[in-house]
Amino acid sequence: MSDTEEDNEISFPVKFLGRVEVVRSDGLKILSEAAQSLKTPDQFSSEKAARKSKVHLFLSLSGIDILENKTKFLLYSCPLSTISFCAVLPSSPKVFGFVARHPAADTNHCYLFQSQAFSHVLVSVIGDAFRASKKEESIRGGRDLIVEALRHKNKVLQRENEELKRRLVGQSN
């Protein structure tokens, strides 16, 4: 586990078990079904062919990036706003995963990983990052509302000022 301060990212070395398209966006049952699906061989699936490779899981307030260990090639990138569920697989405590909505398609994918020591920690950290991201969005959204309210108030005051100027010019004539 390493922490790069300048990027506010945390990196975990894990084993990537695979990515599976799922029908629902949450629940331990979905996680279990995805893990079971990965156990069944499928020679036509590139998703399953790329599994069981060492990767680095980079977690930041913007999302989760999955990078191939040796080449640092970006395999997947999931914005935190697309992640709907994250948990440790109850039947296998070293396995954890998360479900994310595909940004362009109307589908959900379950990403499964194995970690010898960090499964519970990672699920907790992903949950914390998700909550922090939502809090930051809400603060940012609140600031946007305040800015819009101030702009509106400014326009109202400008119109009122123009009207008073017209009245003043009309009284002096």
Side-chain angles (χ1 to χ4, degrees):
M1 177 170 71
S2 64
D3 185 4
T4 57
E5 197 66 38
E6 65 276 356
D7 296 339
N8 292 323
E9 288 184 332
I10 299 173
S11 169
F12 291 90
V14 294
K15 186 182 285 186
F16 181 54
L17 300 178
R19 180 180 93 148
V20 178
E21 188 173 329
V22 293
V23 291
R24 286 194 344 261
S25 60
D26 64 354
L28 285 172
K29 186 175 181 189
I30 287 296
L31 207 62
S32 297
E33 288 171 1
Q36 190 61 38
S37 168
L38 286 174
K39 288 180 182 176
T40 57
D42 183 354
Q43 62 188 12
F44 302 109
S45 174
S46 61
E47 305 283 336
K48 292 182 182 181
R51 68 184 177 177
K52 293 189 179 178
S53 57
K54 288 185 180 181
V55 297
H56 279 278
L57 201 64
F58 282 91
L59 176 65
S60 69
L61 282 178
S62 59
I64 298 174
D65 291 337
I66 304 163
L67 278 71
E68 202 278 324
N69 187 45
K70 291 179 183 165
T71 64
K72 303 299 185 227
F73 179 76
L74 181 66
L75 298 173
Y76 301 102
S77 184
C78 302
L80 281 181
S81 60
T82 65
I83 296 173
S84 58
F85 182 76
C86 183
V88 173
L89 193 62
S91 60
S92 183
K94 293 180 180 180
V95 176
F96 69 97
F98 63 87
V99 177
R101 181 179 30 81
H102 191 283
D106 192 23
T107 59
N108 294 297
H109 290 95
C110 182
Y111 297 81
L112 290 163
F113 305 89
Q114 182 178 358
S115 175
Q116 296 303 319
F118 297 121
S119 291
H120 291 284
V121 172
L122 271 162
V123 167
S124 177
V125 169
I126 290 170
D128 290 347
F130 183 78
R131 282 186 288 283
S133 171
K134 287 294 179 196
K135 187 175 181 180
E136 192 172 285
E137 273 181 29
S138 135
I139 290 170
R140 215 177 316 125
R143 277 193 223 128
D144 289 346
L145 287 175
I146 292 169
V147 168
E148 282 304 310
L150 289 172
R151 283 184 182 148
H152 176 72
K153 183 71 172 172
N154 189 23
K155 283 181 184 178
V156 168
L157 290 172
Q158 283 176 345
R159 283 189 215 128
E160 185 179 321
N161 194 16
E162 291 299 318
E163 179 63 29
L164 290 171
K165 282 181 185 177
R166 273 189 246 128
R167 285 185 190 170
L168 191 60
V169 169
Q171 286 179 349
S172 63
N173 288 337

